[in-house]
Amino acid sequence: MKILVIGPSWVGDMVMSQSLYKAIKANHPDCELHVMAPAWCRALLERMPEVDKAVAMPLGHGDFKLGERRRLGKQLAAEKYDQAIIQPNSLKSALIPWFARIPVRTGWKGEHRFGLLNDMRSNKSAFPLMVEAYLALAYPKAQMKSRADIPAIPHPSLNVDLVNQGKALERLGLSSARPVLVLCPGAEFGPAKRWPEGHYAVVAQKHLDEGWQVWIFGSGKDVPVANTIRERINPLSRPNCHVLAGKTSLYEAIDLMALAGRVISNDSGLMHIAAALNRPLIGVYGSTSPLYTPPLADRVEIVHTDIECRPCFKRTCKFGHLKCLIELMPEQVIEAGKRLECGESAAQPIALQRVDPPHFVANAGKRSEPE
């Protein structure tokens, strides 16, 4: 059996997609699994043993280009896939499998895809977590009435390249002699997901004073935030605080993050990578909620405020006060770290309900770059 998956375009979503790929392989151990996704996803897909081939999606996130999609579909027809599973909800994402004449085309109802999909699912609200909605597509439609029908949620687990890890350490002048605290202070979605730099600096200083070193990860856009955190560190401690934002490839970020003794991250793609590496993780939530896209791992602490207006799923605070982040004090994160260290995590399985209001669904597809 040969299966093509049309994957998502964002780091966190792609990491969570590994749960789907694991379920596909569990259901069809001998199948050949190909995943079509943007070229940058290769760094993630190549670390997923379930994926036999990464197929580059040459079109950008907002590109419709019907002619090019037809050409790609005709090209893929030669692969003779038995099934296509389309993770995104857009009409354009379903076009290539249709042009490829793949016999079974599975996906959720959305954007007038009648005809393009012939195995359409319409009960998405019965699967509260994004990963559950992904997983439901791995099973026959008649079998998936609600989340209770999913046998289990296999956690993502990315492979680590130790040779590449060693080269990255050497290139960046890093050492793993001290325990490593990783900070991920960025969030492409918007400022309503970014915990204040001053709060990050307090937590970083606490760890530095206790003999840790700090590595700050992120994209090139996160360099100013990362530099601000480092500038607020005691000058005597700064040699042990390293800004890696904008300096690593995604391959290197994965391999270096695997050395973390603890990760503190906003709700972002890097948070999900840390979870997939099974690093002790503290997830900091502002405007979003772990009731929709929690980190899928065992050693996790979730911290957030309980103010009345959160979660709002807005990119920017509509009231202008960002209290959901500002009032989340460094001491709460420090205490969460202590619980992780002692194995006394307060995290419990969450009684989940669907919390993705229409404005969130609409905004979620408009991020300019992968998180």
Side-chain angles (χ1 to χ4, degrees):
M1 188 174 187
K2 202 169 185 179
I3 299 174
L4 173 69
V5 174
I6 306 297
S9 299
W10 313 112
V11 171
D13 297 354
M14 180 55 74
V15 173
M16 288 185 285
S17 295
Q18 191 182 8
S19 298
L20 167 63
Y21 310 152
K22 287 187 173 190
I24 291 171
K25 283 289 190 174
N27 294 341
H28 309 285
D30 298 324
C31 81
E32 187 174 343
L33 178 60
H34 296 185
V35 178
M36 176 175 253
W40 67 262
C41 290
R42 184 175 294 275
L44 291 171
L45 294 173
E46 289 183 355
R47 300 307 179 86
M48 300 178 183
E50 301 79 19
V51 178
D52 296 298
K53 182 179 179 181
V55 181
M57 164 59 84
L59 300 176
H61 180 67
D63 295 336
F64 189 78
K65 295 186 178 178
L66 182 62
E68 179 64 8
R69 290 180 189 275
R70 182 178 184 277
R71 186 192 68 78
L72 288 169
K74 295 296 185 182
Q75 180 179 316
L76 288 176
E79 294 280 355
K80 299 189 183 301
Y81 292 109
D82 298 288
Q83 183 183 12
I85 297 176
I86 298 94
Q87 290 183 258
N89 292 326
S90 65
L91 182 147
K92 60 180 180 289
S93 65
L95 284 168
I96 292 174
W98 184 78
F99 282 128
R101 294 294 185 262
I102 298 173
V104 180
R105 302 181 298 279
T106 302
W108 289 105
K109 179 181 177 182
E111 274 199 5
H112 310 291
R113 304 202 292 182
F114 296 97
L116 297 178
L117 302 181
N118 56 12
D119 178 25
M120 183 181 288
R121 315 297 176 86
S122 58
N123 60 331
K124 194 173 184 180
S125 61
F127 301 92
L129 292 178
M130 178 183 284
V131 70
E132 290 174 331
Y134 286 166
L135 279 169
L137 300 177
Y139 300 92
K141 182 177 182 178
Q143 185 179 332
M144 290 289 108
K145 302 298 185 185
S146 73
R147 62 185 310 207
D149 297 319
I150 296 175
I153 297 179
H155 288 173
S157 53
L158 300 174
N159 289 340
V160 176
D161 185 332
L162 296 180
V163 173
N164 189 60
Q165 182 186 84
K167 291 179 179 178
L169 285 170
E170 183 178 1
R171 183 180 71 80
L172 294 164
L174 300 173
S175 167
S176 57
R178 288 171 175 254
V180 178
L181 171 68
V182 164
L183 303 182
C184 305
E188 183 67 30
F189 182 77
K193 286 174 72 170
R194 290 199 290 266
W195 201 40
E197 295 95 319
H199 289 1
Y200 269 110
V202 170
V203 177
Q205 188 67 62
K206 172 74 172 174
H207 284 74
L208 289 164
D209 291 344
E210 294 175 353
W212 292 62
Q213 60 179 315
V214 175
W215 296 354
I216 308 177
F217 283 82
S219 69
K221 291 183 177 181
D222 301 319
V223 172
V225 171
N227 284 337
T228 298
I229 294 171
R230 189 174 188 275
E231 287 164 5
R232 297 189 181 188
I233 297 296
N234 184 323
L236 296 176
S237 304
R238 284 181 197 163
N240 291 315
C241 182
H242 304 276
V243 173
L244 305 184
K247 298 179 181 179
T248 66
S249 67
L250 187 51
Y251 288 104
E252 291 174 322
I254 292 168
D255 294 330
L256 291 173
M257 194 177 292
L259 294 169
R262 185 173 300 159
V263 178
I264 302 172
S265 178
N266 298 334
D267 176 17
S268 67
L270 288 175
M271 179 189 75
H272 291 285
I273 288 176
L277 293 168
N278 200 27
R279 296 297 82 211
L281 171 64
I282 301 170
V284 181
Y285 281 77
S287 68
T288 56
S289 171
L291 297 179
Y292 185 58
T293 53
L296 301 171
D298 298 320
R299 294 185 288 174
V300 173
E301 278 283 327
I302 301 296
V303 292
H304 58 77
T305 56
D306 292 316
I307 64 173
E308 186 177 18
C309 57
R310 77 158 298 277
C312 68
F313 296 101
K314 295 287 189 181
R315 293 170 180 271
T316 57
C317 178
K318 62 183 178 181
F319 299 114
H321 55 53
L322 284 173
K323 285 185 178 180
C324 65
L325 293 164
I326 293 171
E327 294 183 0
L328 178 56
M329 303 309 294
E331 291 74 20
Q332 292 176 253
V333 172
I334 291 169
E335 287 302 313
K338 290 178 181 178
R339 290 194 296 270
L340 281 175
E341 186 173 344
C342 297
E344 299 174 352
S345 175
Q348 298 292 330
I350 306 169
L352 293 157
Q353 57 192 18
R354 196 158 188 83
V355 290
D356 51 337
H359 65 264
F360 172 63
V361 175
N363 287 341
K366 295 181 181 178
R367 292 171 285 189
S368 59
E369 289 186 7
E371 283 193 351

